[in-house]
Amino acid sequence: MLKLTGNRDVCVLGAGVMGLSVALQIRQALPELNVTIVADRFGTETTSDGAAGLWEPYKLDETPANKINVWGQETYDYLQDLYFSEHAAAAGVTTVAAYQLWSEPHDDPPWKDVVPHFRYLAAKELQPFAAAGGCQYALGWCFTTIICEQRIYLPWLLYKVLRSGVTLQHSSIKALSELSGYSLVVNCTGIGAARLFGDTEMYPVRGHVIRVRAPWIKSNYFVDESNYIIPQSDTVVLGGTAQRGDTDLQPREEDRQHIWQGCLRMMPSLAQAKPEREWVGLRPGRKSVRLEYEEIETEAGKLLRVVHNYGHGGGGVTLSWGCAREVVALVQQALS
Ligand SMILES: Cc1cc2nc3c(=O)[nH]c(=O)nc-3n(C[C@H](O)[C@H](O)[C@H](O)COP(=O)(O)OP(=O)(O)OC[C@H]3O[C@@H](n4cnc5c(N)ncnc54)[C@H](O)[C@@H]3O)c2cc1C
């Protein structure tokens, strides 16, 4: 039991994969707290909803490898447990073989011991990819990873959040003084943190994906962090772009061409795939993920206790459960 020094009301600001994971874990670990999720976007309007949900620490810049490995491992283990549970289908969690190919020599990924079955591809295994694309690959590796399909997982998670007693409030926060009624705020605003918290270290990383019908594609493929193929239950996600500082949410023809041509080179059978829809989202880029406690003086001169949890770039799903666990520890410390 927490010995509370203030009221029991905690606000989780944001309803993407981070906000929902945090809200649920606070209620599970600290049931004496009242939790309200405040957000101006829920469900399909969030960045999280557009993500394919592949476990892979992507575009995390200078976030220390040891942090990524701890948060990533905890999330991997949690998702793997879900996969082996009766909830796998309802939660949209599955496992896939992942193949990553590099045209130039490349360092090992720092997270290679987090995933099972990591190994380098032999020359004869690279050969079919090279033949399909009419190119040479210097290196490739494969491993088993998890897809946590966000369009299925987020509604499932929201249901669990509501069942745990969390309240939802649909509003857009313009000033931190609007939150001063809470004993603590967990900041899970993603790209929104730049404006609301004046974080100048944040930058958007624009991502364009195309979803196609190609039910014969069952594995994940990645080339040079440039093009990727991620199977989902109903479609296959083809990517992608990673344009730093670009906030244009409209799909562009040159990106469409880059995605199609790049993915076709990897997997020529995609020429038979039927395009379904496309989407552009902004990854919440930051030099390093921000997960820490801060006391902020609001515009109205009041002290606001905040636990920050944002800036997860292209790996928010991958780190979600592990980050939420660390948030809970910080909340407990701050309120004790
Ligand atoms: C094309 C693309 C593909 C991706 N694929 C993957 C993938 O396969 N695997 C992976 O791990 N990651 C992937 N990502 C990254 C992942 O989507 C993000 O890291 C993750 O969604 C961030 O989650 P979040 O909850 O922090 O932010 P969001 O989902 O953006 O949620 C932010 C929440 O904060 C709320 N908010 C913000 N400001 C305010 C305010 N002032 N007042 C009220 N509410 C506010 C918003 O309404 C929203 O509810 C991908 C991203 C893109 C763009």
Side-chain angles (χ1 to χ4, degrees):
M1 253 322 231
L2 267 181
K3 277 197 185 147
L4 292 168
T5 52
N7 69 40
R8 290 163 184 271
D9 298 335
V10 166
C11 166
V12 175
L13 190 56
V17 70
M18 286 296 163
L20 298 184
S21 305
V22 164
L24 182 60
Q25 286 201 41
I26 292 179
R27 284 293 297 158
Q28 287 174 341
L30 308 168
E32 59 275 31
L33 296 178
N34 305 320
V35 178
T36 303
I37 295 181
V38 177
D40 53 8
R41 287 162 194 249
F42 285 84
T44 53
E45 294 188 317
T46 61
T47 305
S48 301
D49 182 82
L54 183 82
W55 187 102
E56 213 246 293
Y58 176 73
K59 298 284 170 209
L60 288 164
D61 288 0
E62 294 173 32
T63 304
N66 62 332
K67 286 286 184 188
I68 291 177
N69 286 352
V70 169
W71 297 328
Q73 179 83 67
E74 285 180 356
T75 308
Y76 198 102
D77 291 347
Y78 154 77
L79 292 174
Q80 188 167 256
D81 286 349
L82 255 182
Y83 174 66
F84 283 109
S85 79
E86 65 203 308
H87 306 293
V93 176
T94 191
T95 62
V96 285
Y99 298 85
Q100 299 198 339
L101 311 168
W102 302 97
S103 307
E104 304 286 335
H106 198 275
D107 289 342
D108 285 355
W111 43 264
K112 76 173 192 191
D113 295 328
V114 173
V115 290
H117 315 133
F118 183 95
R119 68 174 178 84
Y120 300 96
L121 295 175
K124 73 171 189 191
E125 292 173 295
L126 286 173
Q127 209 280 327
F129 292 107
C135 56
Q136 288 301 315
Y137 291 109
L139 177 72
W141 53 64
C142 69
F143 53 96
T144 299
T145 193
I146 294 182
I147 292 176
C148 173
E149 197 170 330
Q150 293 297 282
R151 296 174 64 242
I152 300 175
Y153 178 71
L154 292 175
W156 178 82
L157 190 58
L158 180 60
Y159 174 73
K160 289 198 59 143
V161 163
L162 291 171
R163 287 273 310 254
S164 77
V166 170
T167 310
L168 305 185
Q169 185 186 317
H170 191 185
S171 47
S172 179
I173 301 301
K174 304 276 185 278
L176 295 179
S177 51
E178 293 171 49
L179 302 169
S180 53
Y182 292 101
S183 73
L184 186 141
V185 173
V186 184
N187 171 18
C188 300
T189 51
I191 196 75
R195 181 174 299 165
L196 187 60
F197 290 84
D199 186 339
T200 53
E201 287 185 22
M202 286 212 76
Y203 48 85
V205 183
R206 180 177 180 276
H208 179 166
V209 290
I210 302 174
R211 285 177 184 259
V212 299
R213 293 243 177 228
W216 60 93
I217 306 266
K218 305 286 187 201
S219 301
N220 158 238
Y221 305 93
F222 234 106
V223 165
D224 288 332
E225 285 204 319
S226 167
N227 285 108
Y228 57 83
I229 298 172
I230 306 175
Q232 308 270 273
S233 55
D234 59 346
T235 52
V236 174
V237 175
L238 310 182
T241 63
Q243 293 139 336
R244 187 173 162 148
D246 190 336
T247 54
D248 180 9
L249 289 175
Q250 292 310 310
R252 294 197 291 247
E253 184 55 28
E254 73 255 33
D255 295 332
R256 203 172 282 137
Q257 286 307 321
H258 161 79
I259 293 168
W260 263 115
Q261 300 311 330
C263 290
L264 270 176
R265 263 197 305 279
M266 264 190 283
M267 204 49 67
S269 67
L270 282 170
Q272 306 305 318
K274 187 168 159 280
E276 276 280 314
R277 56 189 180 275
E278 54 191 338
W279 176 74
V280 176
L282 304 180
R283 301 176 183 91
R286 196 174 186 275
K287 203 166 108 185
S288 180
V289 169
R290 186 168 188 207
L291 206 171
E292 63 184 4
Y293 176 70
E294 188 186 21
E295 293 182 350
I296 301 176
E297 194 179 322
T298 66
E299 307 82 346
K302 279 200 164 180
L303 192 77
L304 192 67
R305 291 189 275 207
V306 179
V307 174
H308 296 287
N309 178 34
Y310 66 91
H312 302 88
V317 179
T318 304
L319 307 181
S320 55
W321 201 252
C323 286
R325 188 170 292 181
E326 191 166 321
V327 165
V328 170
L330 291 177
V331 168
Q332 191 158 15
Q333 229 173 302
L335 293 183
S336 291

